Amino acid sequence: MFRLDGKVVVVTGGARGQGAAEVAALREAGATVIATDVLAGDGVRHLDVRDPDGWASLAASLDRVDALINNAGVAGRERLPNVDLANWDRTFAINVTGPMLGIQALVPLMPAGSSIVNVCSVAAVSGHVAAAYTASKWALRGLTRTASLELGPRGIRVNAVLPGLIETPLMANASPAFRGAALAEIPLGRTGTVDDVAGLMVFLVSDAAAYITGAEIVVDGGLTGHVSHKGIADAIAPPA
């Protein structure tokens, strides 16, 4: 049901971490995957998602695209009011403008039934102290909604995946204080793995998701399922 044989999928940020896991899962399901990144990697095509010419070159090299996964992203962790403008602009250029350019470049190659998945974050549904990152992911969520509206008549589905704390290179750079405090808020009691996200990508690209568009699917172990009340709930919980 989730086989992707014959489908051509473009994945940005595919050289490592969550993107690499998505590439592997999509290929295992039968897709032909074009993995792109600014980082070098085995079988990875160089693409800076901020570069319109790079996107145009990629599009010119393909006859058809059945799915685009906008996975590339950076974490702008500076807190207000101490946000550097250059870092703010870079975060938005990669996290928001990049996906928009990808949609512009590849939609003309997409037949009805195609799928676009934008990788947002749980930061896109609440307030987080990383100002640029949070604002950019809210913007990407908005782009997803608009794209689902505009591209629906073409038969192209557009959805957002909102990962929580996933063990990736981005998470590896988080401080121990952040990790400890955040972990205490996750009902499942663990951080996620890249495979927790990759399987969802296979589903959203597959024909099994043919009537799902404009959706925002969280993969967060329950982090956004409460309003920071987990500590209270734990304190008054009856003995196991």
Side-chain angles (χ1 to χ4, degrees):
M1 192 175 191
F2 301 152
R3 293 297 301 174
L4 305 178
D5 302 279
K7 292 186 181 294
V8 177
V9 184
V10 173
V11 179
T12 67
R16 64 175 183 171
Q18 187 173 290
E22 292 163 6
V23 169
L26 291 162
R27 285 176 175 161
E28 185 176 354
T32 298
V33 183
I34 296 90
T36 72
D37 210 310
V38 293
L39 301 175
D42 186 25
V44 176
R45 174 171 177 153
H46 183 271
L47 175 67
D48 185 333
V49 296
R50 299 170 293 181
D51 178 18
D53 291 337
W55 278 112
S57 177
L58 174 62
S61 71
L62 301 171
D63 295 322
R64 189 185 84 254
V65 174
D66 299 287
L68 165 63
I69 297 180
N70 285 309
N71 177 80
V74 293
R77 292 199 174 103
E78 293 170 326
R79 301 176 68 160
L80 292 169
N82 303 309
V83 177
D84 178 77
L85 181 58
N87 289 338
W88 174 275
D89 289 343
R90 175 176 179 268
T91 302
F92 268 79
I94 294 172
N95 292 1
V96 188
T97 305
M100 187 275 294
L101 291 173
I103 291 170
Q104 284 186 322
L106 299 187
V107 158
L109 302 177
M110 291 185 165
S114 294
S115 173
I116 297 171
V117 184
N118 293 327
V119 178
C120 290
S121 165
V122 293
V125 294
S126 58
H128 286 230
V129 296
Y133 182 75
T134 300
S136 71
K137 292 301 185 178
W138 275 85
L140 182 57
R141 184 180 166 206
L143 177 64
T144 303
R145 291 282 188 100
T146 296
S148 70
L149 175 67
E150 295 279 40
L151 301 181
R154 294 172 176 252
I156 299 173
R157 299 177 289 108
V158 189
N159 295 292
V161 170
L162 285 62
L165 303 179
I166 308 297
E167 293 296 342
T168 66
L170 287 180
M171 183 64 180
N173 293 329
S175 69
F178 171 84
R179 178 182 288 271
L183 191 62
E185 294 294 334
I186 300 175
L188 288 186
R190 68 171 178 88
T191 54
T193 70
V194 292
D195 291 331
D196 290 324
V197 179
L200 176 59
M201 295 301 186
V202 172
F203 168 68
L204 289 175
V205 170
S206 78
D207 294 339
Y211 201 55
I212 300 175
T213 193
E216 298 165 349
I217 305 173
V218 296
V219 187
D220 67 353
L223 179 62
T224 56
H226 62 93
V227 189
S228 299
H229 288 168
K230 181 176 182 295
I232 299 172
D234 288 349
I236 63 175

